[in-house]
């Protein structure tokens, strides 16, 4: 308790400006009584905003500068709003409901100083945060349109100007990947804006009219019947019947289809997809046309004549036009295509789904014809059919053919379109995640040639494993093995090739990934490559153990376990046979397969892959096995070893596959590894690698980042099931040197996708049942 009180006492000293603003906000609210008249929720919201944004600014600017920028943007932003609202009569042209008064809120200064403070961030995050803040306040001003939102918008622009002025040098132009992300964020904001206006109870901005493309009012059905019973009110009846279409949960889902569609397209734009660019362009052209029609097609009103009327009619068209301009200007950034046949398959899926939903609706409505008003005929059902797949907000001007009255007919009427759009939107999202990867056997052979000629790290032989794809440098002197999972290009170790080509391959591969809309991630790399990527983030993902061979002898107390295992093997008549699995006798192969299957059955979980080999990898003729066999030809255990090459010759070996028979003598693994140590020492090998232990590392008494602590927690959580830490402790018996292996990635925001890709790489065939079983084992064995 005392520690927490001490931390709280240090907050005012660490954030004096933020603390002062929050204190003044509540004191003024109490003194003036606005705390009760203005609403407690509003004060709480302003407090959260001030704490988050002013606190962010104080972490990057001095307290004096934070306070001065806060005051300047607060005063000038509020003054500009006052001039606009009171001096120019903005209630006549901005919004007819805008009151000729200005509300004062500290949120304006908080946003202004936060935008200014972005100048202290790295260029990439500076652009992203500025765009998010400016789009947020811009959308609120244009859709909600109150004086508070206008003050925030002016303050943000002032903060931007002050931040740009404070920058020491002009930032470089954004990369293709960064530009795609910025465009995607802008498109997503344009989609969310109408939804914000629809949810808000006080949406009065010039773009607020777009909310009616999403939702409409929901009149009482009894009142609709009453109005429509009067033959003198046909227009009112028509309008109410159209609004009645928009009621119900299914219609609510259909109402947000345009928002979800734009968000899905924004994801495609983020990935650089050409199809997403064209679809977004066509959709915004349609919004321009539809907006113009809806804004000018009111049969009971005269055409707009005054300047304010024209402004209110044309201003809402500015948003889709602005998005169109943005798309045209950035057209060259979106050149990523889907694999051949992707969109043909997608179109076929959409067509089949549409046909199936249409058949179900026509057939169901015909069977339930007495639950419609008027009684549904085949002609009426077919006339109504197209409207079942359009959002309700777009149907106001369409004559109602039939309306459901029974609950079953209502369910069919409202949900058939939801089913169609869910399939289409999900299918569209999947197409954007598909990558063009030309997997050719010739590339694998070419990669093996480079590996044999030039060698690599102790893990480099893994690039020859099935499942990898290959990228070669333009000169063909280096290769990177990778696999694309969820738009993450996850490498298998480091580049392989000539030393000169390897040093430049990483950055060239990153540009290759950016062109394809992928996030590159170098996995299980050494510190040397990590140092070649200084602007990237990195975290340790494994600990490699390397046994030095020069002058090694199994003497002393520290080698006691190894000597004991060697003695037990000798007494049991067990020897270590060095051979290739493809040349092993059938009885040995059968036993190895059986004990491996038994080992997996005991775990009850799928075998981990990616950087951990299995039986399939033993078939490689370059891989060697060391098998513990007794005099009765019983296999006690098996290990496999990957060659490590340097300039065309094998200089070391790396441990991969380890399996122990259920009835093996105690210490069989120690015996096999010790036998390999002696063999390599006598053959003149440079070293012996016992490979890396995933999610386990040596405690070096160093300060660790949050992500590293998270990975340590994951490793600890999975220890009862996969035993990575126990494996690292077992390898310590051989007195190895410890070498950390890292994961390097370009940006923190990609971590969720990278984590998902790594999980799928290690457990590609994990079923839902196995996932539940894994979770239960983790819980019960802790």
């Amino acid at each position: 308790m005392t520690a927490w009180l001490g931390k709280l006492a240090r907050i005012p000293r660490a954030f004096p400006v933020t603390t002062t603003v929050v204190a003044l906000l509540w004191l003024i609210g109490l003194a003036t009584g606005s705390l009760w008249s203005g609403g407690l929720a509003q004060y709480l919201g302003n407090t959260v905003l001030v704490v988050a944004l002013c606190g962010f600014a104080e972490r990057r600017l001095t307290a004096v500068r934070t306070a001065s920028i806060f005051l300047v943007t607060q005063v000038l932003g509020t003054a500009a709003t006052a001039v606009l609202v009171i001096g120019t009569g903005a209630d006549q042209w901005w919004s007819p409901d805008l009151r000729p008064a200005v509300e004062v809120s500290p949120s304006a200064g908080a946003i202004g100083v936060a935008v200014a403070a972005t100048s202290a961030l790295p260029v990439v995050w500076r652009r992203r945060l500025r765009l998010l803040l400016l789009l947020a306040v811009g959308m609120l001003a244009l859709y909600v349109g109150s004086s508070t939102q206008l003050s925030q918008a002016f303050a943000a622009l002032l903060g931007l100007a002050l931040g740009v002025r404070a920058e020491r040098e002009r930032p470089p132009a954004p990369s293709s990947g960064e530009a795609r992300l910025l465009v995607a964020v802008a498109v997503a904001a344009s989609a969310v804006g109408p939804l914000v206006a629809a949810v808000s109870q006080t949406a009065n901005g010039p773009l607020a009219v777009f909310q009616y493309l999403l939702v409409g009012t929901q009149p009482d059905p009894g009142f609709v019947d009453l109005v429509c019973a009067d033959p003198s009110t046909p227009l009112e009846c028509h309008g109410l019947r159209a609004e009645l279409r928009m009621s119900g949960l299914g219609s609510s889902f259909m109402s947000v289809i345009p928002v979800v569609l734009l968000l899905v397209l924004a994801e495609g734009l983020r990935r650089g997809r050409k199809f997403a660019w064209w679809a977004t362009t066509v959709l915004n052209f349609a919004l321009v046309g539809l907006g113009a029609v809806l804004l000018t097609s009111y049969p009971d009103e005269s055409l707009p004549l005054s300047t304010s009327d024209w402004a209110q009619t044309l201003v809402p068209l500015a948003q889709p036009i602005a998005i169109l301009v943005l798309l045209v200007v950035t057209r060259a950034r979106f050149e990523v295509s889907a694999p051949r046949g992707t969109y043909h398959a997608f179109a076929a899926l959409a067509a089949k789904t549409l046909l199936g939903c249409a058949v179900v609706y026509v057939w169901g409505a015909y069977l339930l014809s007495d639950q419609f008003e008027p009684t549904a005929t085949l002609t009426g059902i077919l006339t109504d059919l197209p409207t079942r797949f359009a959002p309700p907000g777009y149907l106001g001007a369409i004559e109602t053919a039939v309306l459901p009255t029974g609950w079953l007919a209502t369910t069919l009427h409202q949900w058939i379109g939801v089913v169609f759009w869910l399939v289409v939107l999900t299918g569209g999202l999947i197409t954007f995640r598909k990558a063009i990867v030309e997997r050719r056997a010739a590339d694998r052979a070419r990669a093996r040639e480079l590996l044999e000629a030039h060698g690599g790290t102790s893990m480099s032989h893994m690039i020859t494993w099935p499942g990898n794809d290959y990228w070669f440098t333009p000169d063909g002197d280096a290769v990177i093995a990778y696999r694309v999972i969820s738009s993450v290009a996850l490498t298998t170790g480091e580049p392989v090739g000539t030393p000169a080509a390897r040093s430049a391959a990483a950055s060239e591969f990153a540009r290759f990934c950016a062109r394809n809309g992928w996030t590159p991630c170098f996995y299980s790399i050494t510190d040397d490559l990590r140092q070649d990527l200084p602007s990237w983030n990195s975290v340790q993902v494994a600990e490699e153990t390397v046994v030095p061979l020069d002058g090694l002898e199994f003497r002393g107390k520290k080698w006691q376990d190894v000597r004991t295992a060697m003695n037990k093997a000798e007494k049991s008549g067990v020897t270590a046979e060095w051979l290739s699995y493809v040349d092993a006798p059938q009885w040995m192969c059968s036993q190895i397969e059986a004990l491996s299957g038994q080992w997996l059955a005991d775990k009850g979980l799928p075998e981990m892959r990616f950087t951990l080999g299995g039986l399939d990898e033993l078939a490689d003729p370059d891989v060697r096995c060391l098998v513990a066999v007794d005099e009765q030809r019983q296999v006690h255990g098996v290990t496999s070893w990957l060659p490590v090459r340097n300039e065309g010759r094998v200089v070391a070996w790396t441990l991969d596959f380890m399996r122990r028979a259920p009835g093996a003598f105690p210490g069989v693994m120690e015996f096999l590894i010790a036998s390999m140590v002696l063999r390599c020492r006598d053959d003149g090998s440079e070293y012996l690698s016992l490979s890396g232990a995933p999610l386990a590392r040596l405690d070096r008494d160093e300060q660790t980042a949050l992500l590293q602590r998270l990975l340590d927690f994951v490793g600890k959580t999975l220890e009862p099931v996969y035993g990575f830490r126990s494996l690292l402790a077992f390898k310590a018996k051989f007195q190895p040197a410890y070498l950390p292996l890292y994961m390097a990635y370009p940006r923190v925001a990609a971590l969720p996708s990278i984590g998902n890709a790594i999980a799928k790489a290690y457990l590609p065939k994990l079923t839902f049942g196995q996932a539940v079983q894994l979770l239960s084992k983790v819980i019960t064995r802790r």
Side-chain angles (χ1 to χ4, degrees), residues 629-649:
V629 183
D630 63 19
E631 297 171 345
Q632 287 75 40
R633 299 205 306 183
Q634 291 295 316
V635 174
H636 287 244
V638 58
T639 56
S640 73
W641 300 88
L642 311 178
V644 182
R645 289 183 167 87
N646 184 23
E647 300 301 328
R649 66 186 186 90

Side-chain angles (χ1 to χ4, degrees), residues 48-310:
V48 172
L49 203 62
V50 168
V51 169
L53 298 182
C54 289
F56 160 76
E58 278 197 271
R59 290 289 299 272
R60 285 151 183 86
L61 306 175
T62 64
V64 173
R65 192 160 178 238
T66 300
S68 60
I69 294 176
F70 176 87
L71 290 174
V72 168
T73 55
Q74 175 71 37
V75 172
L76 294 183
T78 305
T81 303
V83 171
L84 181 69
V85 175
I86 301 174
T88 66
D91 57 319
Q92 298 299 317
W93 57 271
W94 178 268
S95 169
D97 296 321
L98 188 65
R99 295 175 295 177
V102 178
E103 298 177 356
V104 179
S105 167
S107 60
I111 290 173
V113 73
V115 174
T118 58
S119 61
L121 295 175
V123 173
V124 172
W125 285 104
R126 185 189 313 166
R127 289 194 184 105
R128 293 180 182 179
L129 190 55
R130 280 178 178 174
L131 182 64
L132 287 174
L133 289 172
L134 292 173
L135 283 175
V137 298
M139 288 296 103
L140 287 173
L142 291 170
Y143 281 96
V144 179
S146 70
S147 60
T148 299
Q149 274 74 51
L150 286 173
S151 298
Q152 293 172 355
F154 283 125
L157 293 175
L158 289 168
L160 177 63
L162 293 173
V164 170
R165 185 178 179 182
E167 294 173 4
R168 297 180 179 178
E169 57 183 16
R170 186 175 180 179
S175 63
S176 293
E178 186 68 16
R180 292 167 181 169
L181 177 63
L182 299 178
V183 173
V185 170
V187 171
S190 73
V192 174
L195 188 60
V196 171
V199 173
S200 173
Q201 300 297 316
T202 58
N204 300 315
L207 298 187
V209 68
F210 269 120
Q211 66 181 298
Y212 299 113
L213 298 181
L214 298 181
V215 297
T217 56
Q218 299 182 5
D220 180 71
F223 179 71
V224 175
D225 294 337
L226 182 63
V227 172
C228 291
D230 187 351
S232 64
T233 56
L235 292 178
E236 291 81 353
C237 176
H238 167 76
L240 290 172
R241 287 169 68 89
E243 291 174 5
L244 193 60
R245 292 171 175 263
M246 305 175 193
S247 60
L249 184 59
S251 293
S252 298
F253 276 110
M254 286 295 293
S255 295
V256 298
I257 288 298
V259 173
V260 181
L261 178 59
L262 277 172
L263 291 177
V264 169
L265 292 176
E267 172 63 10
L269 292 172
R270 186 182 71 85
R271 298 177 184 275
R273 293 306 177 112
K274 186 186 302 183
F275 177 82
W277 186 91
W278 280 107
T280 308
T281 301
V282 170
L283 184 57
N284 277 277
F285 265 120
L287 287 175
V288 172
L290 184 60
V293 169
L294 291 179
L295 290 171
T296 58
S297 61
Y298 299 106
D300 54 340
E301 297 181 7
S302 60
L303 290 175
L305 299 175
S306 66
T307 302
S308 61
D309 286 340
W310 277 114

Side-chain angles (χ1 to χ4, degrees), residues 530 537-542 707-708 711 741-745 751:
R530 185 175 72 124
N537 303 281
S538 62
V539 65
Q540 185 177 348
V541 293
L707 178 59
Q708 188 68 70
L711 289 180
L741 297 176
Y742 298 94
M743 175 183 78
Y745 52 97
L751 277 176

Side-chain angles (χ1 to χ4, degrees), residues 566-715:
M566 299 287 284
N567 293 332
K568 285 183 178 180
E570 184 178 0
K571 292 179 181 179
S572 302
V574 176
T575 58
E577 298 195 17
W578 177 249
L579 45 77
S580 173
Y581 186 74
V582 294
D583 297 328
Q586 184 58 46
W587 62 266
M588 183 182 290
C589 293
S590 299
Q591 289 189 51
I592 292 174
E593 292 176 6
L595 67 87
S596 179
Q598 182 64 42
W599 182 83
L600 292 174
D602 291 342
K603 284 186 173 294
L605 294 170
E607 189 174 15
M608 297 189 77
R609 310 295 297 172
F610 190 31
T611 61
L612 301 171
L615 278 175
D616 293 340
E617 284 69 35
L618 296 185
D620 186 341
D622 288 340
V623 174
R624 305 287 290 184
C625 293
L626 199 61
V627 186
V629 183
D630 63 19
E631 297 171 345
Q632 287 75 40
R633 299 205 306 183
Q634 291 295 316
V635 174
H636 287 244
V638 58
T639 56
S640 73
W641 300 88
L642 311 178
V644 182
R645 289 183 167 87
N646 184 23
E647 300 301 328
R649 66 186 186 90
V650 177
V651 297
W653 294 90
T654 298
L655 175 63
D656 178 35
F657 186 86
M658 296 174 62
R659 294 292 186 270
R660 180 184 184 278
F665 73 90
V668 63
M669 286 295 111
E670 289 90 337
F671 162 70
L672 285 173
I673 295 176
S675 299
M676 186 64 180
V677 168
L678 296 176
R679 173 180 290 275
C680 291
R681 182 200 62 185
D682 297 341
D683 288 345
S685 297
E686 295 179 1
Y687 63 87
L688 187 72
S689 172
L690 302 184
S691 194
L695 297 177
R697 65 187 184 91
L698 189 67
D699 186 2
R700 295 179 171 87
D701 293 326
E702 57 187 356
Q703 187 175 3
T704 56
L706 176 61
L707 178 59
Q708 188 68 70
R709 295 197 297 271
L710 177 60
L711 289 180
D712 292 344
F713 173 76
V714 173

